Amino acid sequence: MRDRRPAKPPEPLPGSVIDAHTHLDACGADTPELVAGAMQRAAAVGVAKVVTIADDLAAARWAATAATWHPDLYAAVALHPTRADTLDDAARAELGELARQPKVVAIGETGLDHYWDAAPHPAQAEAFAWHIQLAKDVGKPLMIHDRDAHDAVFDVLRAEGAPPEVIFHCFSGDAQLARRCADAGFAMSFAGPVSFRNATDLHAAAKLAPAELLLVETDAPFLTPHPQRGTVNEPYALPYTVRALAALRGADLAELCTRLRSNAERIYRLS
């Protein structure tokens, strides 16, 4: 990442949107001053609010604290499925406390990752089930990481009972998975890959997803959208993805911005 240039700032959007999932600490914005700079760059192009996400316990502590540094920054806390085998009693207790903080707006990212072998699949399923219960206990949305595990994710959700609000972050499925999510009322958050020319299955999913279940995200510093692919991502690059999504859906850009923002505000319960 350090050897790559930052993404070129896009043309500002005609309306404001919310970055539903990013990792500001991984972007290098890990102090109050650097967070303020990242938020200013985002706001300049129409990204009004940002949700920064944890993937381990240290990141969860940081995200919950960082969210208090800026009025338009929020947090989600959880252990990433590749770190599921670190979810001991102490981690459960601390995550439970962090999850109840006012600016922590979701439990995530949690779920299943069958691409990497960093944690055994049974440990991932057990940790996922625990996070599902935590989301229900605190009354906050569940943010799902699903990599090569679509059926298994739905199996755990069915067995445990999904909370009222579920978000498939960085949606990576096809039209069939989009239909399953739509039927269940699960939100689908699209990231940079929806702008890639060869992502035909993802394009089909983005066209099919109901407007009221659409979110957008950067997942920065990863997955920089076209035409900035290969550069370092940050929340200010989100308009590239928004424009790609509008083009795919044949939607008016300003109307889509309004819809995306209202969806995020509803799902995350943002003022």
Side-chain angles (χ1 to χ4, degrees):
M1 291 287 182
R2 293 176 182 174
D3 296 331
R4 292 161 56 187
R5 68 188 189 281
K8 179 183 177 181
E11 180 182 348
L13 290 168
S16 61
V17 296
I18 294 171
D19 187 348
H21 183 118
T22 196
H23 301 267
L24 282 185
D25 51 343
C27 293
D30 55 1
T31 68
E33 295 77 17
L34 292 172
V35 164
M39 296 297 291
Q40 184 176 19
R41 289 188 291 276
V45 295
V47 182
K49 299 180 182 183
V50 172
V51 183
T52 192
I53 313 301
D55 57 7
D56 62 20
L57 196 55
R61 295 184 196 114
W62 181 86
T65 298
T68 68
W69 296 341
H70 195 283
D72 295 322
L73 180 61
Y74 301 86
V77 299
L79 294 190
H80 192 279
T82 58
R83 297 175 173 87
D85 51 359
T86 68
L87 185 63
D88 56 17
D89 289 343
R92 290 184 178 92
E94 187 168 2
L95 286 170
E97 292 178 3
L98 293 171
R100 289 170 170 83
Q101 294 191 16
K103 293 205 73 182
V104 172
V105 296
I107 306 305
E109 57 186 283
T110 181
L112 301 175
D113 192 311
H114 290 179
Y115 180 82
W116 299 107
D117 293 325
H121 292 183
Q124 291 189 37
E126 181 180 351
F128 185 24
W130 181 84
H131 283 94
I132 291 171
Q133 187 58 52
L134 177 61
K136 291 190 282 190
D137 288 346
V138 300
K140 295 180 180 181
L142 180 75
M143 182 185 295
I144 292 177
H145 171 103
D146 166 22
R147 189 166 188 187
D148 292 356
H150 305 326
D151 289 339
V153 164
F154 271 84
D155 287 344
V156 176
L157 287 169
R158 189 180 305 110
E160 300 299 323
E165 298 286 0
V166 173
I167 303 160
F168 273 67
H169 120 77
C170 193
F171 186 86
S172 60
D174 55 11
Q176 181 181 2
L177 184 66
R179 289 191 189 95
R180 292 179 73 180
C181 288
D183 289 345
F186 299 158
M188 291 161 265
S189 184
F190 289 90
V194 78
S195 71
F196 298 169
R197 294 192 180 104
N198 61 350
T200 53
D201 285 347
L202 195 55
H203 295 167
K207 294 174 185 177
L208 186 148
E212 68 273 13
L213 297 177
L214 277 178
L215 295 173
V216 285
E217 63 175 81
T218 55
D219 200 17
F222 316 105
L223 303 176
T224 313
H226 175 81
Q228 297 299 307
R229 195 174 182 180
T231 61
V232 177
N233 203 4
E234 196 177 291
Y236 70 76
L238 187 61
Y240 291 118
T241 299
V242 176
R243 286 188 166 91
L245 194 58
L248 283 168
R249 293 173 64 88
D252 177 82
L253 183 60
E255 290 178 2
L256 181 62
C257 289
T258 299
R259 167 61 76 174
L260 292 169
R261 177 165 180 157
S262 65
N263 286 350
E265 289 177 336
R266 182 189 78 249
I267 292 167
Y268 287 128
R269 301 179 181 89
L270 307 181
S271 58

